[in-house]
Amino acid sequence: MAEKETRKVTIAAIADLAGVSVPTVSRVLNGRSDVAVQTRERVEELLTRHGYRRRPSAARTSSGLLDLVFPDLDSPWAVEIIRGVEDVAHAAGVGTVVSAIHRRNASAKQWLDGVRNRATEGVIFVTSMVEPPLQAELRRLNIPVVLVDADGIPQQDAPTVGATNWAGGLAATEYLIRLGHRRIGFITGLPQLMCSRARMDGYRAAMESAGLPIDDGLVYQGDFYHESGFAGGTHLLRLPDPPTAIFASCDQMALGVYEAVRQQGLRVGDDVSVVGFDDLPEVRWSSPPMTTVRQPLAEMGMVAARTVLRLARGEHVESPRMELATELVVRDSAAPPRVR
């Protein structure tokens, strides 16, 4: 029976017995020098006592991992965040594990089982609130967590990295107003997301500041996917008094609006101005190239990775909330309205 149990001992179990984090046990196994002598001796003694079987290859090559977790991986902006995280991780000699937990308990449990058994330095959650049981287990394992563009107000004690979404929404709408537009449609993102609400508030603030009425009939509920942008654009353009410009809360929805404009026999820029949000690489190649608000997605991933690695080293993080600046990128999809 004892022999059967020794084969099941995990890094997480050793960490729990030693009162240290899983990454600390991993560092001991990998022979790294950034572990206190007394801690190293305690971990080594427990590894020997419980018959933990080291993997020779891992001891030579593993230098820790970062877990990067999305609710889904079907959005182009995910690639930009992955690129930023990977740049920092690679420079630090740390690997990256990318997962999607799909907001289902089963996939979250499967992911957590993997975290318990690998050398995870820290976890970055993207647009995903950490459920209380998951949060408690990560805290028990002493694995630091950073949130990127969190849904709602974070309830857990974790730093967050985001963008100036309100300022971006304000800048996009003010630009359309300066061009002469007065009826400006807005396609929102998911209402439960902080970024969606902030962009909507920026739109409203710009309209109110210009003394323009906010017509709820010009606001369409989207979900950050092309299809809702197409549906919203079609709905707005079929109104008896349609908007002369449409601001979409993300580039994917703005591309959906492009198709809605085309199917209505109109042209983007000439007949209807369209502005997006994100500045994904593909929109500079759209026809016409899209005016959009640049959200520094890769940089957000880089800041999140640097932050979680600092936490893993036991360093202090000065600010629990970090916001990176957005920027309006003017191209050819917006122009002064045609006189009707």
Side-chain angles (χ1 to χ4, degrees):
M1 181 69 176
E3 183 181 350
K4 184 177 181 181
E5 289 176 351
T6 59
R7 287 199 300 266
K8 291 184 177 180
V9 71
T10 64
I11 292 177
I14 295 296
D16 192 40
L17 290 169
V20 298
S21 68
V22 170
T24 297
V25 177
S26 174
R27 293 186 189 104
V28 173
L29 287 167
N30 297 330
R32 286 170 52 170
S33 60
D34 53 345
V35 180
V37 174
Q38 289 183 338
T39 300
R40 180 183 301 279
E41 290 175 349
R42 184 166 69 254
V43 171
E44 289 281 10
E45 189 274 329
L46 287 167
L47 290 168
T48 301
R49 184 197 311 171
H50 291 275
Y52 182 85
R53 296 181 179 180
R54 301 172 186 251
R55 298 177 183 177
S57 60
R60 289 192 303 269
T61 62
S62 176
S63 58
L65 296 168
L66 285 184
D67 267 76
L68 177 58
V69 184
F70 295 85
D72 290 291
L73 288 171
D74 55 357
S75 172
W77 58 258
V79 175
E80 295 300 299
I81 292 176
I82 291 170
R83 184 164 60 84
V85 171
E86 178 60 23
D87 282 350
V88 171
H90 179 75
V94 175
T96 306
V97 178
V98 179
S99 306
I101 59 175
H102 308 293
R103 301 186 187 277
R104 294 193 299 266
N105 290 334
S107 59
K109 181 179 181 302
Q110 184 181 25
W111 171 79
L112 188 55
D113 288 342
V115 168
R116 291 191 186 101
N117 291 284
R118 59 179 173 256
T120 298
E121 298 280 343
V123 179
I124 300 170
F125 286 99
V126 183
T127 319
S128 179
M129 287 293 288
V130 184
E131 295 298 325
L134 192 59
Q135 171 192 349
E137 180 63 9
L138 291 171
R139 187 182 296 117
R140 187 186 72 80
L141 295 171
N142 290 319
I143 297 176
V145 171
V146 172
L147 304 179
V148 175
D149 216 7
D151 302 3
I153 300 173
Q155 298 175 353
Q156 56 281 333
D157 182 19
T160 63
V161 180
T164 54
N165 290 290
W166 182 87
L170 181 78
T173 310
E174 284 183 338
Y175 176 68
L176 291 170
I177 292 171
R178 288 198 303 272
L179 288 175
H181 296 279
R182 296 297 177 263
R183 286 185 61 77
I184 301 172
F186 181 65
I187 302 179
T188 74
L190 293 168
Q192 68 267 29
L193 302 185
M194 283 184 69
C195 61
S196 298
R197 298 199 297 270
R199 293 169 198 176
M200 174 90 174
D201 289 344
Y203 161 79
R204 289 181 174 276
M207 297 290 283
E208 290 173 354
S209 179
L212 298 175
I214 297 174
D215 184 348
D216 289 338
L218 294 181
V219 177
Y220 185 90
Q221 177 66 61
D223 61 7
F224 286 137
Y225 289 97
H226 295 89
E227 292 81 3
S228 67
F230 173 74
T234 301
H235 169 78
L236 293 171
L237 294 173
R238 287 178 175 175
L239 292 173
D241 187 10
T244 59
I246 298 175
F247 170 34
S249 277
C250 76
D251 288 346
Q252 289 186 87
M253 292 195 300
L255 289 172
V257 174
Y258 269 43
E259 180 60 17
V261 171
R262 188 190 68 80
Q263 290 197 18
Q264 295 300 309
L266 304 171
R267 291 178 296 179
V268 172
D270 292 337
D271 302 305
V272 182
S273 289
V274 179
V275 175
F277 200 110
D278 280 334
D279 195 26
L280 297 175
E282 63 194 272
V283 302
R284 70 193 65 177
W285 303 107
S286 58
S287 182
M290 185 186 295
T291 294
T292 186
V293 176
R294 181 178 183 271
Q295 182 174 203
L297 295 167
E299 290 89 339
M300 288 161 64
M302 295 174 72
V303 170
R306 292 191 189 107
T307 301
V308 80
L309 286 173
R310 288 183 61 191
L311 292 172
R313 293 192 297 264
E315 298 177 14
H316 176 67
V317 175
E318 291 79 9
S319 175
R321 172 69 182 176
M322 292 156 277
E323 286 195 343
L324 278 63
T326 53
E327 176 188 6
L328 182 69
V329 179
V330 176
R331 297 192 180 100
D332 301 329
S333 64
R338 283 190 169 185
V339 178
R340 293 178 177 176

